[in-house]
Amino acid sequence: MSPFKALTWLVSPLALLALWAAVADAALFPANLLVPPLEVWRSFADLLATGELQEHLAGSLSRLSLGFAAGALAGLAFGTAMALSDTVEAYCAPLFHTLRQIPSIALIPMLVLLLGIDETFKVVIVAKTAFFPVALATVEGIRAIPRSHFEVAAVYRLRWPTLVARIALPAAVPAIVTGVRVALTRAWVVLVACELLAADSGLGQMIEMGRQMLRIDVVMVGVAITGVIGFALDFSLRRVERRLSGWQVAGR
Amino acid sequence: MNAIAPSFPAHVQTGALSIRNLSKTYPLKGRPVPVLQGIDLDIRPGEFVSILGASGCGKSTLLRLIVGLDPDYQGQILLDGQPLNGPGLERGIVFQDHRLFPWMTLQQNIALALKNHDLGTAQKQRLVDEHIALVGLRGYEQAYPHQLSGGMAQRGAIARALVNKPKVLLLDEPFGALDALTRVRLQQELQRIWVQERCTVIMVTHDIEEALYLGDRVIVMEANPGRIGEQVQLELAHPRQRDTALLFQHKQRLLAQLVGH
Amino acid sequence: MKLRNLRGLLLPLLLIGAWELASRQDAAGAYAFVPLATIGDALVELLGNGELLVNLLASLARTSAGLALGIVGGVALGALMALSPLANRLVAPLFHALRQVPMLGWIPLIALWLGNGEASKLLIVSLAALYPMVLNTFEGLRQVDVRHREVGQVLALGRWQQLRLVLLPAALPSIATGVLQALAFAWVTAVGSELFLASGAGLGNLMMNAEAGARMEIIVICVLCIGLCGYLMTWLSTLLARRLLRWRPTR
């Protein structure tokens, strides 16, 4: 790509920034509704210097990892069991597919009533959000494994644990990673939503406080950081995905 | 330009194709590699020319240049004395794969070729019906391509190419993807249709028998870079019989020349 | 054989039984896990006074309006980005940057700018529907088989005809996938935005009011209603998509 073409990628973000600065500068809107970009940057630096931002970020990310680890591992185990055992499927599939229809966001009021607005509530809802996509991807990933793989296992009389660890999971890994990626981005969205509605710490709470105090600069910093984190999570798992699918093609 | 003559005169006068010193290169790792070199060819109106060659000799590239899908070449291609400029409805093409649009019925696929003609709806409908009948697909008007067999879909593609009454019909290994029996049947069909329509035809193929059976002239193309080799003139009236001694002799000779040393 | 098919009902029944049992333990249990009878009564009440229907219809109307805007805008933007390299280079960076922010994360900002009313909610729902539409339209148009494009050229179709008769139909499966995703996002986001922006009617508003009044039975009914409606809408759209895409070979 020529340097000129590479530069065109920057045109629209820079244009937006310039427009924003110009409109803020012209004072077309009240200053508390449209803060100039420089001031947002200064708030960001302030929040960073006082350590406030790091604190909120740490709060959000620790909730995310705890809830996500629990939900994803449970989803992996449950999905594997359901894909490999007809009995488990017969008993669990209808309930699983019914509950899967209920969006996590809609569960927020119910869980707040049941669990209060403490840590438990947020971890539980993140775990719930992570569980379903991972379980579903695991079921479908394992189901998509060619029969011949299992026939090889039967010929060599592999035991159950070996079958799972050596054949079912490795062959289904690319599909599962995709499920994990979807689950992680959704869990992040839902966590931020929960923190917006009910929390005493976390990025969402920082944004909500900013809104209540009409500090639009803090809100914008929060929204931008939320986007960056979401992007980073998605991007890193996409790289894992690509590497894995590359391995799969090469292995064929 | 786009008007369709209601019926062809018994003696065809348009559809003369002249190719003058045609060359084409592809860039490969930054270096130009010649695919076609110094092609000179004159095709009479209403002539059926078979271009015979091994895969990779550039014969399909030649058709793509004539139909106007690739404007990047040196030399001249003239249709009735006029230089070509992009694709046009006076040239029709049938590819090896039928390329019917899967989201349209057979009838819609064929009617699509008439999209830019100044004809009334009824007239277009009549032309589509005629051509469906011509290729023997009556009763399948409303079928989607995936509901047709390979041979039937290829008949549909031929009908689509012919419905414009093109001056020049280009066939790019039209039966190459079909099973042997269907191929023989469609070769006979094509001969019958061509005798009826008498447009200029250029058919690219690697099937010696097919080239000889259908062509007024068979041009052997040599590879690396693609250029014109031997030309065989077949003074034999259409419709032909497959087992004619003349065709058999030519076949043995071309086979020996192309395959054996 | 018949009995074996009923195995799937065992767990749901156990779950409901456990819920009922928990509600009968003590006052706290009855507060958190309301008895089934109470839920039934609340359902009758909500249906009787029309509250459920009014709020459901409000949410559905919001979803459909946002979905319609998102589909139209998304197909247009996706097509523009797929067909014009220049437009793609200009728009894509901004689009992909903005799309990283979780949908509901925009709510505080939009609420500050546009207020708590219908405009904010509609904007959020439309944006939620827009993203998948742009992505899927773009991918669908980019992946149109070059062999089909060539037929469009050979038949001397104009640019507009090629778009309408070749490119868009070829991208239709991908666009249909986009609509299914957009529908799910729009529905969730509609209910979500109602939770945050507490004005006007909607299932989310009904739930928030119920939360404030600790009416668990109403929340349960709303959750079931949201799940059921989401399922029904997806099912209907799948049927519609299958009808539209009936030209595709079925395997």
Side-chain angles (χ1 to χ4, degrees):
Chain A
M1 200 188 294
S2 69
F4 171 74
K5 269 192 175 173
L7 278 179
T8 55
W9 289 104
L10 288 173
V11 168
S12 61
L14 287 179
L16 186 73
L17 206 62
L19 183 75
W20 175 14
V23 172
D25 199 45
L28 289 176
F29 299 98
N32 59 351
L33 276 191
L34 195 74
V35 186
L38 217 60
E39 203 151 315
V40 174
W41 176 255
R42 224 170 282 145
S43 312
F44 171 66
D46 279 354
L47 286 170
L48 211 58
T50 56
E52 211 177 318
L53 188 62
Q54 291 90 320
E55 205 176 294
H56 286 303
L57 210 54
S60 293
L61 288 180
S62 68
R63 277 171 204 147
L64 183 71
S65 12
L66 192 63
F68 182 77
L73 284 177
L76 189 64
F78 178 74
T80 311
M82 202 156 95
L84 293 179
S85 153
D86 289 343
T87 316
V88 175
E89 206 213 340
Y91 281 106
C92 298
L95 185 64
F96 174 77
H97 289 294
T98 309
L99 292 183
R100 189 160 79 75
Q101 303 300 329
I102 298 173
S104 299
I105 301 274
L107 286 178
I108 294 179
M110 186 190 256
L111 287 176
V112 167
L113 273 191
L114 282 180
L115 304 169
I117 62 165
D118 291 338
E119 285 305 299
T120 328
F121 150 62
K122 275 156 260 172
V123 173
V124 163
I125 203 158
V126 168
K128 183 264 161 196
T129 311
F131 175 81
F132 284 93
V134 173
L136 197 66
T138 310
V139 170
E140 287 178 355
I142 293 180
R143 290 264 165 80
I145 298 173
R147 270 196 86 77
S148 54
H149 285 34
F150 288 109
E151 284 167 2
V152 171
V155 168
Y156 289 106
R157 292 174 182 270
L158 296 184
R159 286 159 174 277
W160 222 85
T162 325
L163 178 76
V164 171
R166 288 294 174 80
I167 294 178
L169 286 182
V173 152
I176 294 173
V177 172
T178 306
V180 166
R181 179 170 62 77
V182 171
L184 190 57
T185 30
R186 277 195 206 163
W188 177 240
V189 173
V190 169
L191 177 64
V192 171
C194 287
E195 290 178 348
L196 281 173
L197 273 177
D200 45 14
S201 71
L203 261 187
Q205 192 259 351
M206 188 185 93
I207 298 176
E208 178 60 17
M209 284 304 288
R211 179 170 87 108
Q212 285 175 15
M213 296 186 307
L214 278 181
R215 284 285 306 275
I216 211 160
D217 47 339
V218 176
V219 174
M220 290 183 103
V221 170
V223 169
I225 301 275
T226 315
V228 170
I229 303 273
F231 173 75
L233 294 175
D234 191 63
F235 181 76
S236 38
L237 276 171
R238 258 183 213 280
R239 301 217 30 186
V240 176
E241 229 178 315
R242 206 168 302 155
R243 181 169 295 183
L244 283 173
S245 60
W247 156 79
Q248 200 183 29
V249 171
R252 239 168 233 170
Chain B
M1 191 48 119
N2 288 341
I4 293 180
S7 68
F8 272 88
H11 186 67
V12 187
Q13 286 139 338
T14 60
L17 200 73
S18 306
I19 296 173
R20 298 266 171 274
N21 197 20
L22 182 74
S23 296
K24 160 91 189 157
T25 56
Y26 275 122
L28 187 70
K29 290 177 188 160
R31 282 177 40 210
V33 175
V35 208
L36 296 174
Q37 202 166 55
I39 306 251
D40 276 299
L41 200 56
D42 275 295
I43 297 170
R44 293 193 317 275
E47 187 180 4
F48 195 126
V49 172
S50 303
I51 297 181
L52 185 62
S55 48
C57 72
K59 55 193 195 302
S60 291
T61 306
L62 180 62
L63 283 200
R64 291 177 61 85
L65 297 186
I66 298 174
V67 82
L69 280 173
D70 188 347
D72 177 30
Y73 57 86
Q74 293 85 48
Q76 269 191 313
I77 307 174
L78 305 169
L79 179 58
D80 293 326
Q82 299 295 314
L84 294 176
N85 184 21
L89 293 178
E90 76 288 349
R91 280 157 288 149
I93 188 166
V94 177
F95 298 98
Q96 181 172 3
D97 44 343
H98 59 78
R99 300 201 188 185
L100 296 175
F101 292 133
W103 53 86
M104 292 179 178
T105 60
L106 178 70
Q107 197 172 38
Q108 290 168 332
N109 263 296
I110 296 171
L112 184 67
L114 293 172
K115 195 81 195 167
N116 291 330
H117 280 292
D118 291 328
L119 296 174
T121 320
Q123 216 175 343
K124 285 186 182 179
Q125 187 60 50
R126 192 179 50 77
L127 277 170
V128 170
D129 288 345
E130 271 177 28
H131 283 83
I132 287 177
L134 178 72
V135 297
L137 283 179
R138 203 169 258 160
Y140 293 95
E141 288 86 352
Q142 302 307 325
Y144 284 101
H146 77 263
Q147 296 167 316
L148 302 174
S149 68
M152 287 158 83
Q154 201 59 323
R155 287 166 194 255
I158 293 173
R160 178 174 65 183
L162 285 175
V163 74
N164 285 313
K165 306 260 178 199
K167 294 178 186 170
V168 179
L169 177 65
L170 305 165
L171 305 170
D172 187 0
E173 301 193 27
F175 311 130
L178 304 176
D179 63 88
L181 290 177
T182 312
R183 191 183 311 167
V184 168
R185 199 173 308 132
L186 276 190
Q187 286 163 358
Q188 278 164 9
E189 291 273 294
L190 179 64
Q191 175 156 259
R192 173 183 64 77
I193 291 167
W194 178 69
V195 166
Q196 203 174 325
E197 308 269 320
R198 286 286 172 182
C199 52
T200 310
V201 177
I202 305 174
M203 179 179 73
V204 150
T205 180
H206 54 235
D207 179 337
I208 299 176
E209 212 170 341
E210 179 173 277
L212 288 166
Y213 172 61
L214 290 165
D216 289 323
R217 178 160 44 133
V218 176
I219 296 172
V220 178
M221 245 178 109
E222 286 163 11
N224 296 324
R227 59 200 185 279
I228 289 182
E230 190 192 350
Q231 303 202 21
V232 180
Q233 202 72 39
L234 292 159
E235 309 290 350
L236 197 61
H238 289 272
R240 294 174 176 166
Q241 297 297 315
R242 274 176 195 283
D243 46 12
T244 314
L246 180 68
L247 294 184
F248 186 75
Q249 285 165 18
H250 279 301
K251 181 186 165 188
Q252 296 301 68
R253 197 172 55 75
L254 285 174
L255 201 59
Q257 186 185 331
L258 286 169
V259 182
H261 277 280
Chain C
M1 199 59 220
K2 193 103 183 174
L3 205 63
R4 289 174 66 84
N5 290 338
L6 293 178
R7 285 181 299 180
L9 285 178
L10 184 66
L11 272 185
L13 287 176
L14 277 178
L15 205 65
I16 294 172
W19 174 284
E20 179 69 17
L21 204 65
S23 76
R24 294 189 184 184
Q25 287 303 309
D26 47 25
Y31 170 79
F33 304 95
V34 285
L36 296 178
T38 318
I39 299 180
D41 290 346
L43 182 62
V44 172
E45 181 199 325
L46 288 177
L47 285 176
N49 61 18
E51 225 177 316
L52 189 63
L53 194 66
V54 167
N55 287 298
L56 174 63
L57 288 181
S59 295
L60 285 178
R62 203 161 280 146
T63 306
S64 340
L67 187 64
L69 285 174
I71 289 176
V72 172
V75 170
L77 188 58
L80 184 71
M81 284 163 69
L83 299 179
S84 156
L86 180 69
N88 187 36
R89 278 204 303 278
L90 289 180
V91 178
L94 198 59
F95 173 78
H96 288 294
L98 293 182
R99 151 180 107 77
Q100 301 308 325
V101 178
M103 223 40 254
L104 297 172
W106 284 115
I107 289 184
L109 205 56
I110 292 178
L112 277 174
W113 282 334
L114 298 180
N116 276 351
E118 195 55 40
S120 293
K121 291 181 205 169
L122 194 60
L123 179 62
I124 293 165
V125 176
S126 316
L127 275 179
L130 181 83
Y131 294 153
M133 288 315 299
V134 171
L135 293 176
N136 283 285
T137 306
F138 182 81
E139 282 303 311
L141 286 174
R142 273 295 171 92
Q143 283 163 10
V144 175
D145 197 330
V146 68
R147 298 173 311 154
H148 287 156
R149 285 174 198 259
E150 284 179 358
V151 172
Q153 290 171 30
V154 166
L155 297 181
L157 299 178
R159 271 184 74 87
W160 174 245
Q161 287 175 328
Q162 291 195 21
L163 179 66
R164 195 165 49 91
L165 298 168
V166 182
L167 298 178
L168 282 179
L172 201 59
S174 181
I175 294 176
T177 310
V179 172
L180 279 180
Q181 289 173 7
L183 174 66
F185 284 139
W187 179 236
V188 172
T189 314
V191 173
S193 71
E194 289 160 7
L195 292 178
F196 288 89
L197 304 170
S199 72
L203 285 177
N205 301 93
L206 187 60
M207 276 206 288
M208 282 314 263
N209 290 338
E211 190 197 310
R215 298 277 309 267
M216 182 57 118
E217 63 275 18
I218 296 185
I219 296 182
V220 170
I221 290 168
C222 287
V223 167
L224 293 178
C225 193
I226 291 166
L228 189 67
C229 283
Y231 178 75
L232 284 179
M233 284 191 289
T234 307
W235 179 66
L236 282 176
S237 322
T238 314
L239 284 188
L240 189 69
R242 206 172 294 162
R243 165 102 191 115
L244 273 176
L245 300 176
R246 65 189 179 284
W247 45 267
R248 287 210 295 186
T250 42
R251 285 188 193 117

